[in-house]
């Protein structure tokens, strides 16, 4: 059984979506693929393309699940940070497997091999964890012959996502599950037209702070701030211009959105300088994930421009490539 799920880029509303404000997100042509195959032993093997192929018994996976849930409770109490809940990033996928299996009260006739391959940059704000978990759940559900509704995948992926992000808004899971472009607010989304502008993905490198840490830091300083109203106003205006296909106005609004992200302290100086140069050449650019509260990298940046900004990217040592929307979302292949 093989399933694919796309990554995502947020066009407007990072951070503000956590406080119930709207956001616009787009599934893109970078994806995670999970392939599930039966094996003769009774072990569960994870081939995660990291040079490792670890195998576990169901008992070992259940022990891991218990430890992770205990740590998450400590996080909710404020005893530990979110980065301490998972001992290793791959524990997210091991947890997802045993959590789904046990919640469905299903058993396995044999062991399985869970093979992951992904073209989504990790830890760069492109929803890698949500896409990977969704592709895993889709493949597992089909293997177990369970007729899942989309809401099931969404809710289960959120249960897993919280272990890495603390208080996930759900936008990553919703976008990867449904594909296309969406207006998202308070856990619900509706379809929007995919942007018709030329878009480029710039990879600045993984941030030194993860999403959970950024969200916690912003929460401390801006939880009750009126700045979220400003984020909302810009997002609503971008929705109108997407429907009108007004490229010039969209570029102007993207620039305003990026200024707000600067104001909440999640855009490193190096990244801010890079975006200034993109604007000077007539384009617009913004971080698409949580950004970073330290270091020089900020994960993925989306650039709206008529020409690929190769020279500017080379100057900063960033990778750039064309990016397009994925209209399909999570699916079997």
């Amino acid at each position: 059984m093989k399933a694919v799920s796309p990554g995502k880029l947020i066009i407007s509303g990072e951070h503000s979506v956590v406080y119930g404000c709207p956001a616009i997100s787009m599934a893109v042509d970078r994806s995670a693929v999970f392939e599930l195959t039966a094996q003769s032993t009774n072990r569960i093997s994870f081939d995660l393309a990291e040079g490792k192929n670890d195998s576990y018994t169901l008992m070992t996976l259940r022990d891991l699940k218990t430890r992770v849930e205990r740590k998450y409770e400590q996080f909710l109490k404020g005893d530990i940070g979110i980065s301490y809940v998972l001992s290793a990033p791959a524990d997210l996928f091991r947890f997802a497997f045993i959590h789904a299996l046990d919640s469905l009260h299903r058993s396995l006739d044999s062991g399985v091999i869970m093979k992951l391959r992904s073209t989504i940059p990790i830890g760069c704000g492109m929803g890698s964890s949500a896409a990977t978990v969704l592709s895993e759940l889709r493949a597992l559900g089909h293997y177990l012959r369970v007729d899942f509704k989309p809401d099931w995948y969404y809710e289960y992926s959120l249960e897993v996502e919280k272990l890495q992000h603390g208080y996930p808004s759900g936008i990553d899971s919703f976008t990867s599950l449904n594909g296309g472009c969406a207006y998202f607010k308070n856990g619900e989304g509706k379809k929007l037209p995919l942007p018709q502008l030329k878009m480029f993905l710039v990879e600045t490198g993984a941030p030194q702070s993860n999403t959970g840490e950024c969200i916690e830091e912003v929460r401390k300083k801006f939880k009750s701030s009126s700045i979220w109203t400003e984020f909302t106003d810009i997002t609503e205006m971008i929705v109108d211009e997407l429907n009108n296909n007004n490229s010039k106005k969209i570029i102007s609004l993207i620039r305003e959105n990026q200024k707000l992200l600067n104001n909440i302290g999640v855009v490193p100086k190096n990244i801010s300088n890079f975006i200034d140069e993109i604007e000077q050449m007539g384009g617009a650019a913004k971080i698409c994930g949580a950004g970073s509260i330290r270091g020089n990298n900020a994960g993925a940046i989306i650039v709206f421009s008529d020409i690929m900004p190769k020279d500017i990217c080379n100057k900063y040592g960033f990778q750039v490539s064309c990016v397009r929307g994925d209209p399909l979302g999570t699916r079997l292949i």
Side-chain angles (χ1 to χ4, degrees):
M1 308 301 170
K2 186 184 289 188
V4 61
S5 188
K8 69 94 178 65
L9 292 171
I10 291 183
I11 295 175
S12 180
E14 298 85 350
H15 287 281
S16 62
V17 72
V18 176
Y19 303 98
C21 302
I24 302 168
S25 185
M26 176 180 67
V28 295
D29 57 351
R30 307 293 193 274
S31 57
V33 177
F34 244 114
E35 182 178 355
L36 189 156
T37 348
Q39 63 174 336
S40 57
T41 72
N42 64 353
R43 299 179 73 85
I44 312 302
S45 301
F46 292 87
D47 178 358
L48 303 179
E50 299 173 346
K52 297 180 180 179
N53 189 344
D54 296 327
S55 295
Y56 302 85
T57 64
L58 290 175
M59 181 179 294
T60 302
L61 289 174
R62 288 183 177 116
D63 287 343
L64 178 145
K65 180 174 179 284
T66 300
R67 290 197 305 273
V68 168
E69 289 175 334
R70 186 183 303 122
K71 286 184 179 180
Y72 185 72
E73 288 298 323
Q74 290 179 289
F75 160 74
L76 292 177
K77 294 176 182 177
D79 296 336
I80 61 174
I82 190 62
S83 60
Y84 294 98
V85 172
L86 297 172
S87 299
D91 284 348
L92 194 72
F93 316 127
R94 297 166 189 141
F95 179 94
F97 177 90
I98 195 63
H99 179 59
L101 185 70
D102 287 351
S103 297
L104 294 167
H105 307 289
R106 295 298 176 106
S107 59
L108 295 170
D109 296 329
S110 68
V112 294
I113 300 172
M114 306 291 295
K115 179 181 178 181
L116 168 66
R117 295 296 181 266
S118 178
T119 58
I120 308 172
I122 297 173
C124 291
M126 293 187 66
S128 173
S129 61
T132 305
V133 167
L134 279 166
S135 63
E136 180 182 18
L137 292 174
R138 186 69 180 90
L140 180 60
H142 193 60
Y143 182 81
L144 296 174
R145 296 181 176 85
V146 179
D147 184 19
F148 295 135
K149 296 180 180 179
D151 286 350
W152 184 93
Y153 290 111
Y154 179 67
E155 294 299 331
Y156 267 59
S157 63
L158 277 187
E159 282 292 307
V160 180
E161 275 279 278
K162 70 183 184 182
L163 304 176
Q164 182 155 300
H165 297 318
Y167 304 98
S169 66
I171 192 169
D172 288 10
S173 296
F174 181 89
T175 308
S176 291
L177 179 61
N178 295 285
C181 188
Y183 173 92
F184 186 88
K185 184 177 180 180
N186 291 328
E188 297 183 359
K190 62 180 181 180
K191 288 283 188 176
L192 291 173
L194 282 166
Q196 299 301 305
L197 297 81
K198 282 189 177 179
M199 296 175 288
F200 302 95
L201 172 66
V202 176
E203 299 177 46
T204 71
Q208 289 188 19
S209 57
N210 62 35
T211 299
E213 290 176 306
C214 283
I215 290 174
E216 286 186 73
E217 186 65 21
V218 172
R219 186 186 296 273
K220 291 176 185 176
K221 298 178 180 178
F222 294 93
K223 182 178 180 180
S224 302
S225 171
S226 62
I227 197 169
W228 307 122
T229 302
E230 298 178 59
F231 272 101
T232 295
D233 292 343
I234 288 175
T235 297
E236 298 289 359
M237 286 188 282
I238 292 177
V239 169
D240 292 338
E241 303 311 332
L242 280 172
N243 288 318
N244 296 329
N245 195 26
N246 188 337
S247 300
K248 185 175 180 180
K249 185 62 177 177
I250 290 172
I251 285 178
S252 174
L253 291 168
I254 292 295
R255 292 177 177 177
E256 292 302 312
N257 183 271
Q258 176 59 29
K259 289 178 182 177
L260 294 179
L261 292 168
N262 279 330
N263 291 343
I264 63 173
V266 295
V267 185
K269 181 62 177 175
N270 183 54
I271 302 301
S272 181
N273 292 340
F274 169 79
I275 291 174
D276 286 344
E277 293 197 37
I278 295 294
E279 292 183 0
Q280 289 167 17
M281 62 175 272
K286 59 181 291 298
I287 63 170
C288 289
S292 186
I293 54 175
R294 55 179 177 271
N296 294 317
N297 303 333
I301 291 178
I302 189 170
V303 174
F304 296 88
S305 172
D306 289 333
I307 58 173
M308 181 181 285
K310 284 186 177 180
D311 292 341
I312 299 176
C313 290
N314 287 339
K315 174 182 174 181
Y316 284 83
F318 298 158
Q319 295 183 0
V320 60
S321 57
C322 296
V323 65
R324 294 179 297 178
D326 180 324
L328 300 178
T330 302
R331 59 208 182 263
L332 294 172
I333 54 174

